[in-house]
Amino acid sequence: MSFKSILRDLKEVRDGLGGISKRGWSKSSHIAPDHTMTPSENIPQSPWASLPPELLHEIIRRVEESETAWPARAAVVSCASVCKSWRGITMETVRVPEQCGKLTFPISLKQPGPRDLPIQCFIKRNRATATYILYYGLMPSEMENDKLLLAARRVRRATCTDFVISLSAKNFSRRSSTYVGKLRSGFLGTKFTIYDNQTGSSTAQAQPKQASPKLPATSYTSGSITYELNVLRTRGPRRMHCVMDSIPLSSVISEPSVVKEEVSSGETSSTDKENISPSLLDQPLVLKNKSPRWHEQLQCWCLNFKGRVTVASVKNFQLVADIDPSLDALPEEHERVILQFGKIGKDIFTMDYRYPLSAFQAFAICISSFDTKPACEG
């Protein structure tokens, strides 16, 4: 049996499983929320369930390796929906974004991105509906079948502004299973708090080997964002600091790292990372703006976005880790861009993120820049 015929038969199996929501199999532009995945114990056992485990592993492995981009990658989600045995093996086969650089199940949006290369996305702003949609890909496609990852809607209140974040661009109810968290700003729009409606799967401390399709629900504070006030109205871009409560500083410092200590002779000695105070390495990761340079000819501040940003905007930024000088971190660890965001057209912005941030955390940080901050601009 050829590989194409296997995929064709999978489609027939999909169409025959009436108990499984078709949204879990569709090639629509958004990741299917968890409620579309029928609990494994209720999934009907199809004839495919009797396949030998070795053959089943090989089929799912080939599907996972061949379907690398959306919407074709929906076939991997389909494999997890066939029956209980297929679901288990798919969970074993699909790796987390940190290891494979791909987004497959909804839980992938709460897991750290890859270490080597960033995951590239873009955001579309709709001013009329006050919504912001995160898509998977370099830029909008001509076919407009881009993969929707997350959506946010701005809700202004008397003393604050909420950005409700969902897996669906049509349902922002906090009672819905598509609700994944929110971003809340203070009265001045200079301080924000990220609330995650899931468990700590987005932390860089937890490093599971597989990407589970499930999204267990709890709630906790994931991080905070602060924009510095520019009281003197000095010339320069916005400045921000992001404290990621769920990510330790140690996640951005490679092994081995050393800390400099003064000794009685006045000389400097180095101590391995193992001897550094745990409280220093376990403190939350803080992200700060990468310093731009002033371009005399253009008369503006500039950053090297490597072609991913094409329009000058006060919203454009790059974030790097704020590492204590006492830690003898490598130069590239100080300069490595963990998140970058910038404008490429009318109401279209790129968002590229990498480890240790998740897509959800990166998206929350980026949409904070859309709230009005006249007191922070030069």
Side-chain angles (χ1 to χ4, degrees), residues 312-333:
S313 172
V314 70
K315 297 178 177 61
N316 299 347
F317 66 78
Q318 290 181 327
L319 296 184
V320 297
D322 188 0
I323 303 176
D324 192 287
S326 64
L327 294 174
D328 192 18
L330 299 174
E332 54 265 30
E333 293 171 344

Side-chain angles (χ1 to χ4, degrees), residues 317-374:
F317 66 78
Q318 290 181 327
L319 296 184
V320 297
D322 188 0
I323 303 176
D324 192 287
S326 64
L327 294 174
D328 192 18
L330 299 174
E332 54 265 30
E333 293 171 344
H334 287 276
E335 296 296 320
R336 182 182 296 119
V337 175
I338 296 175
L339 171 63
Q340 73 173 25
F341 172 79
K343 192 172 184 178
I344 60 173
K346 181 177 174 57
D347 295 322
I348 303 177
F349 304 79
T350 57
M351 184 195 92
D352 301 343
Y353 77 97
R354 66 193 303 168
Y355 184 92
L357 288 183
S358 67
F360 168 76
Q361 292 167 328
F363 183 51
I365 294 173
C366 290
I367 59 178
S368 72
S369 67
F370 290 109
D371 214 21
T372 304
K373 303 170 185 63

Side-chain angles (χ1 to χ4, degrees), residues 96-97 107-113 201-202 208 210-212 353 357-359:
V96 294
I107 192 63
S108 303
L109 303 174
K110 295 297 187 72
Q111 294 170 330
S201 58
S202 59
Q210 289 82 33
S212 170
Y353 77 97
L357 288 183
S358 67

